[in-house]
Amino acid sequence: MNVSVRHPAFGNVVGTSVELERVATGFLFTEGPLWHPGERSLLFSDMPGDIIRRWTAAGGVETFRSPSGKSNGLTWDRQGRLLACQHATSTVTRTEADGALTTLASHHEGKELNSPNDIVVKSDGAIYFSDPVYGRMDFYGIERPVQLGFQGVYRLAPEGGAPLLLAKDFGQPNGLCFSADERSLYVNDTERMHIRRFDVGPDGTLGNGHVFAETTGEGDGAPDGMKIDSEGNLYCCGPGGVHVFHESGECLGVIHTPEVAANFAFGDDDLRSLFITASTSLYRVRIKVPGTSPFPT
C-alpha cells in the first residue's frame, strides 16, 4: 500500500490507493517544484547541485539555470515572473523578462537574512517567505555564521521595499501557504513537527498564531513543502511522505514515498497530478481532488 488512510474522506480526496511513478532520478536533493500551465513544464531545484531543472513529458529533464544560488522554494508573482529563494546568497530574487535577476530581499535591519526557504504570493501581489537557517549549513547551502538571532516569516509589500518581519517565534519555519480565502496563512515548523495557522490582517500582517495540526507517524521526514487543494484540504510533507489534512486540522491520511519527501506541486492540465520532490528523485501521483496553481490567470 502506498497510502495510510486515517479517515474515510481520504478516499474521496486522494484515493484508497495510488500508483507512484518515478518521473526522474539521479539528483542530489530535490526541492521547490513549480508547474507552468502554459508550457506544461515543471521547474524544480536541486539545491546541492546548484541547479534549477525543467521537466516536460516530451523532453524529460533539462537544465533551466546553473548556477542557481542553491535555490530552494520557487513560485510565480502576479505577472508570471519567477521568484526564487536562494540559499547560497540568502536572498529572494525575481527573474525579469530578459532573464536578469532582481534582488527583492537580502537583509533585515542591516543583517543578512538567514536563508529564505519557501515563498508564496497573495492575490494583491504581496510576497511572503520563510527564513530558517538551512541554507547556512553544508550540503543544503554554504556553511557560514548566522547574523540574525531568530528564524522568521516576512512580507514584501506589492510596491516593494524592505521585508517586514511578521513573526519570529519558530524553531525552523519552512513551508507556507494561504487558505482559499486568504484570511489565514499556514506556516509549518520543521523543528517542532507542527503546522501553525495565522490570521491575516487587512494590512497583510499576521496575528493569532496557533497550532493547526501536527505531523505524526512512522518513517523519516518532517514538515517541509505545503500546499492547499481546491477544496481547502492541506497537503504537507511529514514522516513517511505527504500528509493530507482536512481544513479542520484532522489528518485524513498519508501518501507514502520511498524517499524522504521535501516538497510537491499540483500539475498537469487538470491539476490532479501531485509532483513530489523526494531526495534524489521526482515522483508523480494521480489524485482525485484538483489542486491549486500559483500561476496568475
Side-chain angles (χ1 to χ4, degrees), residues 21-59:
E21 173 194 2
R22 190 165 72 174
V23 175
T25 191
F27 312 113
L28 294 177
F29 190 85
T30 54
E31 249 286 9
L34 180 65
W35 180 255
H36 192 296
E39 298 179 356
R40 295 181 176 177
S41 65
L42 185 83
L43 296 178
F44 63 98
S45 300
D46 185 346
M47 281 185 291
D50 202 14
I51 297 172
I52 297 176
R53 303 182 189 273
R54 180 177 181 268
W55 173 88
T56 60

Side-chain angles (χ1 to χ4, degrees), residues 80-95:
R81 296 172 295 190
L82 180 66
L83 304 180
C85 294
Q86 297 189 179
H87 274 191
T89 60
S90 294
T91 61
V92 174
T93 64
R94 181 179 67 212
T95 303

Side-chain angles (χ1 to χ4, degrees), residues 14-260:
V14 173
T16 54
S17 65
V18 296
E19 181 179 346
L20 199 67
E21 173 194 2
R22 190 165 72 174
V23 175
T25 191
F27 312 113
L28 294 177
F29 190 85
T30 54
E31 249 286 9
L34 180 65
W35 180 255
H36 192 296
E39 298 179 356
R40 295 181 176 177
S41 65
L42 185 83
L43 296 178
F44 63 98
S45 300
D46 185 346
M47 281 185 291
D50 202 14
I51 297 172
I52 297 176
R53 303 182 189 273
R54 180 177 181 268
W55 173 88
T56 60
V61 177
E62 61 184 7
T63 297
F64 175 80
R65 176 179 298 158
S66 179
S68 67
K70 293 199 170 184
S71 68
N72 188 340
L74 307 172
T75 196
W76 309 112
D77 73 2
R78 299 310 300 167
Q79 287 73 49
R81 296 172 295 190
L82 180 66
L83 304 180
C85 294
Q86 297 189 179
H87 274 191
T89 60
S90 294
T91 61
V92 174
T93 64
R94 181 179 67 212
T95 303
E96 308 297 349
D98 61 0
L101 295 184
T102 298
T103 298
L104 302 181
S106 60
H107 290 73
H108 172 70
E109 295 184 345
K111 296 181 179 180
E112 292 178 357
L113 296 170
N114 297 317
S115 60
N117 186 289
D118 204 2
I119 186 166
V120 291
V121 179
K122 200 166 179 281
S123 61
D124 63 1
I127 299 167
Y128 292 68
F129 65 92
S130 59
D131 189 43
V133 300
Y134 296 123
R136 289 179 180 262
M137 299 177 180
D138 191 30
F139 187 72
Y140 298 107
I142 297 176
E143 189 172 1
R144 59 205 193 278
V146 174
Q147 295 189 11
L148 294 172
F150 56 85
Q151 290 72 244
V153 169
Y154 296 84
R155 176 182 184 267
L156 287 166
E159 62 272 16
L164 174 67
L165 178 64
L166 301 176
K168 63 177 183 179
D169 55 337
F170 301 96
Q172 295 288 355
N174 200 323
L176 66 173
C177 67
F178 286 101
S179 61
D181 59 10
E182 296 187 330
R183 294 179 181 178
S184 299
L185 181 73
Y186 299 95
V187 183
N188 65 47
D189 193 319
T190 302
E191 184 176 290
R192 296 172 182 168
M193 298 292 289
H194 64 215
I195 303 166
R196 293 172 66 187
R197 182 173 182 166
F198 293 84
D199 295 336
V200 181
D203 60 354
T205 58
L206 304 181
N208 190 31
H210 60 279
V211 175
F212 166 77
E214 297 181 351
T215 57
T216 61
E218 297 181 357
D220 294 330
D224 202 327
M226 190 162 61
K227 306 285 191 304
I228 195 167
D229 74 8
S230 59
E231 293 186 356
N233 301 297
L234 186 76
Y235 286 61
C236 181
C237 293
V242 180
H243 295 227
V244 182
F245 296 87
H246 183 264
E247 59 185 354
S248 66
E250 182 174 5
C251 185
L252 303 180
V254 180
I255 302 170
H256 294 295
T257 54
E259 303 177 70
V260 174

